[in-house]
């Protein structure tokens, strides 16, 4: 009997992995993140779906927890402590605007649906945080890593990650039902941990790197994975959040050790993170989506506008032209892994209604698709609008001549000025036409 169940578990798990591989290939073909397809795959095989997986639940649950740890660990490995400090100084104003504009819609919808303070705090995180993974992939695919507005986008993402280091412990405490004083204590511990890690990383980062480093790939992998799980477990035990613990460990590892750790952990991250997205889809009943579809579409429209406004304003402060501002705004639209991490914490704690998972899933599906599409079409769309404006200008000049108002020069001057911002961009930063 045990052998039969093991055989069924292996068959189901193999089918899940192979199916995820096919979905990932399809996503690459159409130029989208695989996250929406992984979520859809979970919906198909979950509660209320076409086929239910009954023998691999325990493995997928544990794998999903490891996936969250690896997601945040590799995110921390992308930043050094000096980069975090510099990014915080550079982007704090845009970061504050980002919080206000994009967390507020989630709070308002949660209250409108009667989910209370707990649901509002959780939903604020879902609508606030952009997907660093999707944004980085889009910028790389479109060849925009060297653009002048890209540092602005990355600075905002760094600010969001730092906000998450304080937000996740608070969310964990709220979901656990602790009191206000206990919640403040948890936040204090988290802020203290962030401060200590930044100080250690700035002054003694090489010692932390030396502890986990090894020339042998097998030993290096075991030490990395072991230390990440240990730190995440300890952080979770003191209610600081396993994800934050992994993120802080990643920050503390620096230089070539961080680079090598990223290379060796990326395949594991992708595998276990896929399990996490599948699990979230498994726990969402497709029948619960239609009642919240209108709310998800409303949130998608509003937060797309607020994310574009955030990027536009931040890029304008950095001196980017209209095209750069539009690119920065659309780059921030995509939501993905971190929104699902937050929603997963809320759902697993049982502190939010069943509709919460459905709304979060539908919202992330929409935003993970809208983000890459918006980034691809924004430049052609602005080009069309610019050509229409330019073609309409001669008619304005001719009308002024016929009226004899003596405004020919002013109209012609306005035509020239309509092109001036892009000319300024090209002169100050001579790149290809795509970087206007």
């Amino acid at each position: 009997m045990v052998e039969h169940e093991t055989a069924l578990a292996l068959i189901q798990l193999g089918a899940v992995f192979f199916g995820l591989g096919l979905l990932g290939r399809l996503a690459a073909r159409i130029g989208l993140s695989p996250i929406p397809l992984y979520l859809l795959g979970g919906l198909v095989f979950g509660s209320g779906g076409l086929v239910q997986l009954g023998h691999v639940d325990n493995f997928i649950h544990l794998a999903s927890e490891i996936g969250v740890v690896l997601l945040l660990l590799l995110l921390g490995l992308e930043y050094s402590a000096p980069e975090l400090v510099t990014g915080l100084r550079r982007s704090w104003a845009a970061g504050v605007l980002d919080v206000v504009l994009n967390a507020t819609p989630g709070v308002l919808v949660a209250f409108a649906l009667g989910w209370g303070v707990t649901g509002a705090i959780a939903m604020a995180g879902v609508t606030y945080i952009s997907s660093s993974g999707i944004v980085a992939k889009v910028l790389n695919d479109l060849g925009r890593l060297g653009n002048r507005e890209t540092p602005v986008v990355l600075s905002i993402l760094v600010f969001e990650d730092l906000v998450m280091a304080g937000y996740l412990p608070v969310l964990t405490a709220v979901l656990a039902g602790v009191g206000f004083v206990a919640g403040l204590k948890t936040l204090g511990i988290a802020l203290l941990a962030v401060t200590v890690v930044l100080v250690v990383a700035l002054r003694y980062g090489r010692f932390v790197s030396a502890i986990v480093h090894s020339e042998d790939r097998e030993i290096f992998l075991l030490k990395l994975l072991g230390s990440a799980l240990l730190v995440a477990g300890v952080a979770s035990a003191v209610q600081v959040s396993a994800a934050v613990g992994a993120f802080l460990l990643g920050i503390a590892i620096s230089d070539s050790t961080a680079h090598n750790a990223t290379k060796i952990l990326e395949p594991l991250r992708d595998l276990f993170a896929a399990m996490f997205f599948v699990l979230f889809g498994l726990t969402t009943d497709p029948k619960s989506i239609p009642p919240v579809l209108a709310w998800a579409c409303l949130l998608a429209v509003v937060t797309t506008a607020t994310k574009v406004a955030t990027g536009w304003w931040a890029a304008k402060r950095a001196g980017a032209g209209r095209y750069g501002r539009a690119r920065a705004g659309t780059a921030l639209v995509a939501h993905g892994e971190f929104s699902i991490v937050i929603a997963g914490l809320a759902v697993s704690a049982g502190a939010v209604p069943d509709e919460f998972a459905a709304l979060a899933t539908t919202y992330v599906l929409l935003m993970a698709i809208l983000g890459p599409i918006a980034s691809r079409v924004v430049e052609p769309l602005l080009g069309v609008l610019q050509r229409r404006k330019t073609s309409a200008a001669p008619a304005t000049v001719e009308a002024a001549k016929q009226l004899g108002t003596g405004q020919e020069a002013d109209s012609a001057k306005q035509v020239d000025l309509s092109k001036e911002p892009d000319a300024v961009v090209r002169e100050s930063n001579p790149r290809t036409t795509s970087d206007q």
Side-chain angles (χ1 to χ4, degrees), residues 27-42:
R29 285 284 183 89
I30 60 180
L32 291 177
S33 166
I35 293 175
L37 298 185
Y38 292 161
L39 290 171
L40 289 174

Side-chain angles (χ1 to χ4, degrees), residues 150-208:
T150 298
V152 175
V153 174
L154 297 179
S155 295
I156 293 175
L157 294 177
V158 170
F159 189 91
E160 289 184 350
D161 296 334
L162 288 175
V163 170
M164 284 296 104
Y167 167 81
L168 288 176
V170 173
L171 177 64
T172 304
V174 171
L175 294 174
V178 301
F180 179 74
V181 175
L184 288 179
K185 180 181 177 181
T186 301
L187 177 60
I189 293 173
L191 294 178
L192 178 62
V194 171
T195 303
V196 170
V197 168
L198 288 177
V199 172
V200 169
L202 284 169
R203 297 189 177 183
Y204 310 106
R206 62 185 184 278
F207 297 111
V208 178

